[in-house]
Each structure stands twice: as structure tokens, then as C-alpha cells.
Amino acid sequence: MKTKSTKQESKRKFYLSEFSYFDGEYDVTFNIVDVDFDRQQITVAISRCGKITQDTFDLIRDEKGNLYFEYGKFYENKISHDDFEEVD
């Protein structure tokens, strides 16, 4: 189990990290706003087609222990939190 300081360091590590994804029609950019490891949720700002929205998704752990969330109309796209990179 992670300690409170370890959780805070992890949150800082991912805060505003960015990931770009092509959904078959448009480039979609995700920026992490918050990661709640206790509730297993991630909140991201989503930029698509010049519009910015914010949404919260459940974090899911795969068989290797990696965390991801599902995105898309039918939640068919797996977006791993490890794919996000820190931007300046």
C-alpha cells in the first residue's frame, strides 16, 4: 500500500502530463488534471476538434499491473497512464 507522501509524489508526477491520440478521425490530446489512487479514478482535460472538455474515468489495472482508462464512444480505446509525458 502506498503511503500518503508516495501518493502525493505520484500525483505531482502525472499532473498536467500530456498524451496525444488519433481516434481515427481527429487528434485528441489528454492532459491529466487529477489522479485519485484511493478511488482508482483519473480526471483529464480532453482537447478534440478545438473543443476542451473534462471527464473522470475509472482506472483499470491490467494483468501486468499497469493502470489504464477506457476512452471512446464505446470505451474501446485503452489509454495507459504510462503513455503520458511531462510537458513544459
Side-chain angles (χ1 to χ4, degrees):
M1 180 171 215
K2 289 185 177 183
T3 64
K4 187 173 183 174
S5 63
T6 305
K7 288 180 187 178
Q8 288 173 340
E9 288 174 21
S10 295
K11 279 186 173 189
R12 272 189 248 123
K13 175 183 173 187
F14 294 113
Y15 182 71
L16 290 182
S17 293
E18 183 174 282
F19 175 70
S20 292
Y21 172 79
F22 182 71
D23 69 0
E25 192 173 359
Y26 298 101
D27 286 317
V28 181
T29 302
F30 299 92
N31 291 91
I32 296 176
V33 175
D34 184 45
V35 180
D36 188 332
F37 292 105
D38 292 329
R39 292 186 174 162
Q40 294 294 297
Q41 293 181 330
I42 186 169
T43 302
V44 292
I46 306 165
S47 302
R48 183 178 184 267
C49 305
K51 296 180 181 179
I52 299 173
T53 59
Q54 180 176 304
D55 206 346
T56 300
F57 300 93
D58 290 330
L59 284 171
I60 303 164
R61 193 171 299 276
D62 67 13
E63 63 278 348
K64 295 180 182 177
N66 300 316
L67 291 172
Y68 69 92
F69 64 93
E70 297 175 325
Y71 172 80
K73 191 171 191 175
F74 301 105
Y75 300 102
E76 68 276 9
N77 304 305
K78 293 181 179 179
I79 310 293
S80 172
H81 84 287
D82 290 333
D83 293 335
F84 285 80
E85 297 178 357
E86 187 176 334
V87 290
D88 294 325

PDB file of all heavy atoms in Angstrom, residues 35-61:
ATOM      1  N   VAL A  35      -5.268  12.555 -10.375  1.00  0.00           N
ATOM      2  CA  VAL A  35      -5.267  11.104 -10.254  1.00  0.00           C
ATOM      3  C   VAL A  35      -5.599  10.787  -8.805  1.00  0.00           C
ATOM      4  O   VAL A  35      -4.915  11.236  -7.899  1.00  0.00           O
ATOM      5  CB  VAL A  35      -3.899  10.490 -10.621  1.00  0.00           C
ATOM      6  CG1 VAL A  35      -3.949   8.976 -10.471  1.00  0.00           C
ATOM      7  CG2 VAL A  35      -3.474  10.866 -12.020  1.00  0.00           C
ATOM      8  N   ASP A  36      -6.661  10.044  -8.599  1.00  0.00           N
ATOM      9  CA  ASP A  36      -7.077   9.651  -7.255  1.00  0.00           C
ATOM     10  C   ASP A  36      -6.855   8.150  -7.123  1.00  0.00           C
ATOM     11  O   ASP A  36      -7.664   7.339  -7.590  1.00  0.00           O
ATOM     12  CB  ASP A  36      -8.550  10.003  -7.023  1.00  0.00           C
ATOM     13  CG  ASP A  36      -8.975   9.784  -5.583  1.00  0.00           C
ATOM     14  OD1 ASP A  36      -8.390   8.916  -4.896  1.00  0.00           O
ATOM     15  OD2 ASP A  36      -9.899  10.489  -5.136  1.00  0.00           O
ATOM     16  N   PHE A  37      -5.727   7.786  -6.526  1.00  0.00           N
ATOM     17  CA  PHE A  37      -5.374   6.378  -6.404  1.00  0.00           C
ATOM     18  C   PHE A  37      -6.266   5.650  -5.405  1.00  0.00           C
ATOM     19  O   PHE A  37      -6.461   4.441  -5.522  1.00  0.00           O
ATOM     20  CB  PHE A  37      -3.902   6.221  -6.021  1.00  0.00           C
ATOM     21  CG  PHE A  37      -2.967   6.643  -7.118  1.00  0.00           C
ATOM     22  CD1 PHE A  37      -2.274   7.841  -7.040  1.00  0.00           C
ATOM     23  CD2 PHE A  37      -2.783   5.847  -8.242  1.00  0.00           C
ATOM     24  CE1 PHE A  37      -1.414   8.232  -8.053  1.00  0.00           C
ATOM     25  CE2 PHE A  37      -1.937   6.223  -9.258  1.00  0.00           C
ATOM     26  CZ  PHE A  37      -1.244   7.426  -9.165  1.00  0.00           C
ATOM     27  N   ASP A  38      -6.813   6.361  -4.431  1.00  0.00           N
ATOM     28  CA  ASP A  38      -7.710   5.731  -3.461  1.00  0.00           C
ATOM     29  C   ASP A  38      -9.015   5.291  -4.128  1.00  0.00           C
ATOM     30  O   ASP A  38      -9.523   4.212  -3.879  1.00  0.00           O
ATOM     31  CB  ASP A  38      -8.019   6.672  -2.300  1.00  0.00           C
ATOM     32  CG  ASP A  38      -6.792   6.932  -1.432  1.00  0.00           C
ATOM     33  OD1 ASP A  38      -5.940   6.024  -1.322  1.00  0.00           O
ATOM     34  OD2 ASP A  38      -6.686   8.039  -0.878  1.00  0.00           O
ATOM     35  N   ARG A  39      -9.548   6.157  -4.979  1.00  0.00           N
ATOM     36  CA  ARG A  39     -10.799   5.855  -5.688  1.00  0.00           C
ATOM     37  C   ARG A  39     -10.566   5.188  -7.042  1.00  0.00           C
ATOM     38  O   ARG A  39     -11.514   4.837  -7.726  1.00  0.00           O
ATOM     39  CB  ARG A  39     -11.607   7.130  -5.896  1.00  0.00           C
ATOM     40  CG  ARG A  39     -12.126   7.696  -4.612  1.00  0.00           C
ATOM     41  CD  ARG A  39     -13.019   8.855  -4.870  1.00  0.00           C
ATOM     42  NE  ARG A  39     -13.608   9.294  -3.617  1.00  0.00           N
ATOM     43  CZ  ARG A  39     -14.160  10.458  -3.446  1.00  0.00           C
ATOM     44  NH1 ARG A  39     -14.223  11.321  -4.439  1.00  0.00           N
ATOM     45  NH2 ARG A  39     -14.669  10.778  -2.287  1.00  0.00           N
ATOM     46  N   GLN A  40      -9.287   5.066  -7.432  1.00  0.00           N
ATOM     47  CA  GLN A  40      -8.931   4.477  -8.722  1.00  0.00           C
ATOM     48  C   GLN A  40      -9.607   5.224  -9.872  1.00  0.00           C
ATOM     49  O   GLN A  40     -10.254   4.626 -10.735  1.00  0.00           O
ATOM     50  CB  GLN A  40      -9.277   2.986  -8.757  1.00  0.00           C
ATOM     51  CG  GLN A  40      -8.459   2.147  -7.793  1.00  0.00           C
ATOM     52  CD  GLN A  40      -6.984   2.120  -8.186  1.00  0.00           C
ATOM     53  OE1 GLN A  40      -6.649   1.634  -9.244  1.00  0.00           O
ATOM     54  NE2 GLN A  40      -6.131   2.654  -7.341  1.00  0.00           N
ATOM     55  N   GLN A  41      -9.428   6.576  -9.871  1.00  0.00           N
ATOM     56  CA  GLN A  41     -10.006   7.420 -10.910  1.00  0.00           C
ATOM     57  C   GLN A  41      -8.970   8.407 -11.422  1.00  0.00           C
ATOM     58  O   GLN A  41      -8.067   8.813 -10.686  1.00  0.00           O
ATOM     59  CB  GLN A  41     -11.209   8.203 -10.384  1.00  0.00           C
ATOM     60  CG  GLN A  41     -12.393   7.339 -10.026  1.00  0.00           C
ATOM     61  CD  GLN A  41     -13.560   8.156  -9.537  1.00  0.00           C
ATOM     62  OE1 GLN A  41     -13.385   9.217  -8.957  1.00  0.00           O
ATOM     63  NE2 GLN A  41     -14.760   7.649  -9.756  1.00  0.00           N
ATOM     64  N   ILE A  42      -9.141   8.790 -12.689  1.00  0.00           N
ATOM     65  CA  ILE A  42      -8.288   9.802 -13.296  1.00  0.00           C
ATOM     66  C   ILE A  42      -9.190  10.849 -13.942  1.00  0.00           C
ATOM     67  O   ILE A  42     -10.204  10.516 -14.564  1.00  0.00           O
ATOM     68  CB  ILE A  42      -7.326   9.165 -14.331  1.00  0.00           C
ATOM     69  CG1 ILE A  42      -6.342  10.201 -14.857  1.00  0.00           C
ATOM     70  CG2 ILE A  42      -8.086   8.502 -15.467  1.00  0.00           C
ATOM     71  CD1 ILE A  42      -5.202   9.608 -15.676  1.00  0.00           C
ATOM     72  N   THR A  43      -8.843  12.117 -13.750  1.00  0.00           N
ATOM     73  CA  THR A  43      -9.563  13.215 -14.377  1.00  0.00           C
ATOM     74  C   THR A  43      -8.640  13.836 -15.406  1.00  0.00           C
ATOM     75  O   THR A  43      -7.492  14.147 -15.096  1.00  0.00           O
ATOM     76  CB  THR A  43      -9.991  14.271 -13.336  1.00  0.00           C
ATOM     77  OG1 THR A  43     -10.801  13.624 -12.348  1.00  0.00           O
ATOM     78  CG2 THR A  43     -10.764  15.403 -13.971  1.00  0.00           C
ATOM     79  N   VAL A  44      -9.141  13.973 -16.631  1.00  0.00           N
ATOM     80  CA  VAL A  44      -8.338  14.511 -17.718  1.00  0.00           C
ATOM     81  C   VAL A  44      -9.084  15.624 -18.441  1.00  0.00           C
ATOM     82  O   VAL A  44     -10.313  15.607 -18.533  1.00  0.00           O
ATOM     83  CB  VAL A  44      -7.935  13.419 -18.735  1.00  0.00           C
ATOM     84  CG1 VAL A  44      -6.965  12.431 -18.126  1.00  0.00           C
ATOM     85  CG2 VAL A  44      -9.133  12.690 -19.283  1.00  0.00           C
ATOM     86  N   ALA A  45      -8.311  16.593 -18.938  1.00  0.00           N
ATOM     87  CA  ALA A  45      -8.831  17.585 -19.862  1.00  0.00           C
ATOM     88  C   ALA A  45      -8.635  16.997 -21.251  1.00  0.00           C
ATOM     89  O   ALA A  45      -7.558  16.485 -21.567  1.00  0.00           O
ATOM     90  CB  ALA A  45      -8.080  18.900 -19.720  1.00  0.00           C
ATOM     91  N   ILE A  46      -9.679  17.037 -22.072  1.00  0.00           N
ATOM     92  CA  ILE A  46      -9.652  16.418 -23.394  1.00  0.00           C
ATOM     93  C   ILE A  46      -9.830  17.497 -24.448  1.00  0.00           C
ATOM     94  O   ILE A  46     -10.841  18.201 -24.452  1.00  0.00           O
ATOM     95  CB  ILE A  46     -10.778  15.368 -23.528  1.00  0.00           C
ATOM     96  CG1 ILE A  46     -10.692  14.352 -22.390  1.00  0.00           C
ATOM     97  CG2 ILE A  46     -10.723  14.695 -24.890  1.00  0.00           C
ATOM     98  CD1 ILE A  46     -11.941  13.508 -22.220  1.00  0.00           C
ATOM     99  N   SER A  47      -8.831  17.639 -25.327  1.00  0.00           N
ATOM    100  CA  SER A  47      -8.911  18.602 -26.430  1.00  0.00           C
ATOM    101  C   SER A  47      -9.159  17.824 -27.713  1.00  0.00           C
ATOM    102  O   SER A  47      -8.354  16.980 -28.103  1.00  0.00           O
ATOM    103  CB  SER A  47      -7.611  19.391 -26.565  1.00  0.00           C
ATOM    104  OG  SER A  47      -7.322  20.067 -25.371  1.00  0.00           O
ATOM    105  N   ARG A  48     -10.285  18.112 -28.359  1.00  0.00           N
ATOM    106  CA  ARG A  48     -10.650  17.413 -29.603  1.00  0.00           C
ATOM    107  C   ARG A  48     -11.456  18.370 -30.469  1.00  0.00           C
ATOM    108  O   ARG A  48     -12.428  18.958 -30.020  1.00  0.00           O
ATOM    109  CB  ARG A  48     -11.482  16.175 -29.284  1.00  0.00           C
ATOM    110  CG  ARG A  48     -11.850  15.345 -30.490  1.00  0.00           C
ATOM    111  CD  ARG A  48     -12.638  14.095 -30.070  1.00  0.00           C
ATOM    112  NE  ARG A  48     -12.932  13.248 -31.186  1.00  0.00           N
ATOM    113  CZ  ARG A  48     -14.054  13.311 -31.903  1.00  0.00           C
ATOM    114  NH1 ARG A  48     -14.974  14.192 -31.600  1.00  0.00           N
ATOM    115  NH2 ARG A  48     -14.228  12.493 -32.921  1.00  0.00           N
ATOM    116  N   CYS A  49     -11.041  18.540 -31.700  1.00  0.00           N
ATOM    117  CA  CYS A  49     -11.745  19.404 -32.669  1.00  0.00           C
ATOM    118  C   CYS A  49     -11.831  20.845 -32.189  1.00  0.00           C
ATOM    119  O   CYS A  49     -12.817  21.534 -32.444  1.00  0.00           O
ATOM    120  CB  CYS A  49     -13.148  18.892 -32.945  1.00  0.00           C
ATOM    121  SG  CYS A  49     -13.277  17.217 -33.474  1.00  0.00           S
ATOM    122  N   GLY A  50     -10.841  21.314 -31.459  1.00  0.00           N
ATOM    123  CA  GLY A  50     -10.855  22.690 -30.968  1.00  0.00           C
ATOM    124  C   GLY A  50     -11.708  22.895 -29.736  1.00  0.00           C
ATOM    125  O   GLY A  50     -11.837  24.014 -29.250  1.00  0.00           O
ATOM    126  N   LYS A  51     -12.303  21.837 -29.219  1.00  0.00           N
ATOM    127  CA  LYS A  51     -13.120  21.925 -28.005  1.00  0.00           C
ATOM    128  C   LYS A  51     -12.393  21.244 -26.862  1.00  0.00           C
ATOM    129  O   LYS A  51     -11.746  20.215 -27.046  1.00  0.00           O
ATOM    130  CB  LYS A  51     -14.476  21.251 -28.219  1.00  0.00           C
ATOM    131  CG  LYS A  51     -15.320  21.930 -29.264  1.00  0.00           C
ATOM    132  CD  LYS A  51     -16.635  21.229 -29.418  1.00  0.00           C
ATOM    133  CE  LYS A  51     -17.448  21.918 -30.504  1.00  0.00           C
ATOM    134  NZ  LYS A  51     -18.728  21.264 -30.725  1.00  0.00           N
ATOM    135  N   ILE A  52     -12.522  21.822 -25.682  1.00  0.00           N
ATOM    136  CA  ILE A  52     -11.893  21.248 -24.494  1.00  0.00           C
ATOM    137  C   ILE A  52     -12.982  20.848 -23.510  1.00  0.00           C
ATOM    138  O   ILE A  52     -13.858  21.647 -23.177  1.00  0.00           O
ATOM    139  CB  ILE A  52     -10.928  22.258 -23.823  1.00  0.00           C
ATOM    140  CG1 ILE A  52      -9.827  22.640 -24.789  1.00  0.00           C
ATOM    141  CG2 ILE A  52     -10.335  21.666 -22.553  1.00  0.00           C
ATOM    142  CD1 ILE A  52      -8.920  23.754 -24.288  1.00  0.00           C
ATOM    143  N   THR A  53     -12.922  19.600 -23.079  1.00  0.00           N
ATOM    144  CA  THR A  53     -13.844  19.100 -22.063  1.00  0.00           C
ATOM    145  C   THR A  53     -13.022  18.456 -20.951  1.00  0.00           C
ATOM    146  O   THR A  53     -11.819  18.252 -21.105  1.00  0.00           O
ATOM    147  CB  THR A  53     -14.822  18.050 -22.645  1.00  0.00           C
ATOM    148  OG1 THR A  53     -14.063  16.960 -23.187  1.00  0.00           O
ATOM    149  CG2 THR A  53     -15.701  18.647 -23.726  1.00  0.00           C
ATOM    150  N   GLN A  54     -13.679  18.160 -19.866  1.00  0.00           N
ATOM    151  CA  GLN A  54     -13.024  17.472 -18.757  1.00  0.00           C
ATOM    152  C   GLN A  54     -13.894  16.288 -18.376  1.00  0.00           C
ATOM    153  O   GLN A  54     -15.114  16.397 -18.344  1.00  0.00           O
ATOM    154  CB  GLN A  54     -12.867  18.418 -17.572  1.00  0.00           C
ATOM    155  CG  GLN A  54     -12.199  17.785 -16.366  1.00  0.00           C
ATOM    156  CD  GLN A  54     -11.978  18.779 -15.259  1.00  0.00           C
ATOM    157  OE1 GLN A  54     -11.354  19.805 -15.479  1.00  0.00           O
ATOM    158  NE2 GLN A  54     -12.499  18.485 -14.085  1.00  0.00           N
ATOM    159  N   ASP A  55     -13.262  15.168 -18.106  1.00  0.00           N
ATOM    160  CA  ASP A  55     -14.016  13.977 -17.734  1.00  0.00           C
ATOM    161  C   ASP A  55     -13.197  13.153 -16.744  1.00  0.00           C
ATOM    162  O   ASP A  55     -11.970  13.236 -16.706  1.00  0.00           O
ATOM    163  CB  ASP A  55     -14.331  13.134 -18.964  1.00  0.00           C
ATOM    164  CG  ASP A  55     -15.582  12.285 -18.800  1.00  0.00           C
ATOM    165  OD1 ASP A  55     -16.069  12.140 -17.656  1.00  0.00           O
ATOM    166  OD2 ASP A  55     -16.075  11.769 -19.815  1.00  0.00           O
ATOM    167  N   THR A  56     -13.892  12.360 -15.952  1.00  0.00           N
ATOM    168  CA  THR A  56     -13.266  11.470 -14.977  1.00  0.00           C
ATOM    169  C   THR A  56     -13.558  10.033 -15.393  1.00  0.00           C
ATOM    170  O   THR A  56     -14.692   9.685 -15.715  1.00  0.00           O
ATOM    171  CB  THR A  56     -13.803  11.740 -13.562  1.00  0.00           C
ATOM    172  OG1 THR A  56     -13.502  13.105 -13.223  1.00  0.00           O
ATOM    173  CG2 THR A  56     -13.171  10.812 -12.544  1.00  0.00           C
ATOM    174  N   PHE A  57     -12.515   9.213 -15.397  1.00  0.00           N
ATOM    175  CA  PHE A  57     -12.627   7.821 -15.799  1.00  0.00           C
ATOM    176  C   PHE A  57     -12.124   6.917 -14.678  1.00  0.00           C
ATOM    177  O   PHE A  57     -11.261   7.304 -13.910  1.00  0.00           O
ATOM    178  CB  PHE A  57     -11.768   7.549 -17.046  1.00  0.00           C
ATOM    179  CG  PHE A  57     -12.153   8.366 -18.237  1.00  0.00           C
ATOM    180  CD1 PHE A  57     -11.517   9.571 -18.493  1.00  0.00           C
ATOM    181  CD2 PHE A  57     -13.147   7.937 -19.100  1.00  0.00           C
ATOM    182  CE1 PHE A  57     -11.863  10.336 -19.596  1.00  0.00           C
ATOM    183  CE2 PHE A  57     -13.498   8.694 -20.208  1.00  0.00           C
ATOM    184  CZ  PHE A  57     -12.861   9.890 -20.457  1.00  0.00           C
ATOM    185  N   ASP A  58     -12.651   5.706 -14.647  1.00  0.00           N
ATOM    186  CA  ASP A  58     -12.152   4.700 -13.711  1.00  0.00           C
ATOM    187  C   ASP A  58     -10.810   4.196 -14.208  1.00  0.00           C
ATOM    188  O   ASP A  58     -10.632   3.957 -15.406  1.00  0.00           O
ATOM    189  CB  ASP A  58     -13.116   3.519 -13.613  1.00  0.00           C
ATOM    190  CG  ASP A  58     -14.407   3.878 -12.909  1.00  0.00           C
ATOM    191  OD1 ASP A  58     -14.377   4.767 -12.036  1.00  0.00           O
ATOM    192  OD2 ASP A  58     -15.444   3.275 -13.239  1.00  0.00           O
ATOM    193  N   LEU A  59      -9.863   4.062 -13.298  1.00  0.00           N
ATOM    194  CA  LEU A  59      -8.584   3.438 -13.633  1.00  0.00           C
ATOM    195  C   LEU A  59      -8.741   1.933 -13.492  1.00  0.00           C
ATOM    196  O   LEU A  59      -9.300   1.438 -12.510  1.00  0.00           O
ATOM    197  CB  LEU A  59      -7.480   3.932 -12.703  1.00  0.00           C
ATOM    198  CG  LEU A  59      -6.951   5.323 -12.989  1.00  0.00           C
ATOM    199  CD1 LEU A  59      -6.023   5.773 -11.866  1.00  0.00           C
ATOM    200  CD2 LEU A  59      -6.222   5.362 -14.319  1.00  0.00           C
ATOM    201  N   ILE A  60      -8.257   1.216 -14.475  1.00  0.00           N
ATOM    202  CA  ILE A  60      -8.358  -0.235 -14.503  1.00  0.00           C
ATOM    203  C   ILE A  60      -6.940  -0.794 -14.513  1.00  0.00           C
ATOM    204  O   ILE A  60      -6.060  -0.250 -15.175  1.00  0.00           O
ATOM    205  CB  ILE A  60      -9.130  -0.690 -15.757  1.00  0.00           C
ATOM    206  CG1 ILE A  60     -10.518  -0.042 -15.774  1.00  0.00           C
ATOM    207  CG2 ILE A  60      -9.232  -2.208 -15.812  1.00  0.00           C
ATOM    208  CD1 ILE A  60     -11.207  -0.115 -17.115  1.00  0.00           C
ATOM    209  N   ARG A  61      -6.722  -1.862 -13.798  1.00  0.00           N
ATOM    210  CA  ARG A  61      -5.397  -2.487 -13.750  1.00  0.00           C
ATOM    211  C   ARG A  61      -5.413  -3.729 -14.637  1.00  0.00           C
ATOM    212  O   ARG A  61      -6.270  -4.593 -14.496  1.00  0.00           O
ATOM    213  CB  ARG A  61      -5.040  -2.849 -12.313  1.00  0.00           C
ATOM    214  CG  ARG A  61      -3.590  -3.211 -12.119  1.00  0.00           C
ATOM    215  CD  ARG A  61      -3.242  -3.349 -10.650  1.00  0.00           C
ATOM    216  NE  ARG A  61      -3.438  -2.150  -9.871  1.00  0.00           N
ATOM    217  CZ  ARG A  61      -2.552  -1.157  -9.766  1.00  0.00           C
ATOM    218  NH1 ARG A  61      -1.424  -1.217 -10.417  1.00  0.00           N
ATOM    219  NH2 ARG A  61      -2.806  -0.114  -9.016  1.00  0.00           N
TER     220      ARG A  61
END
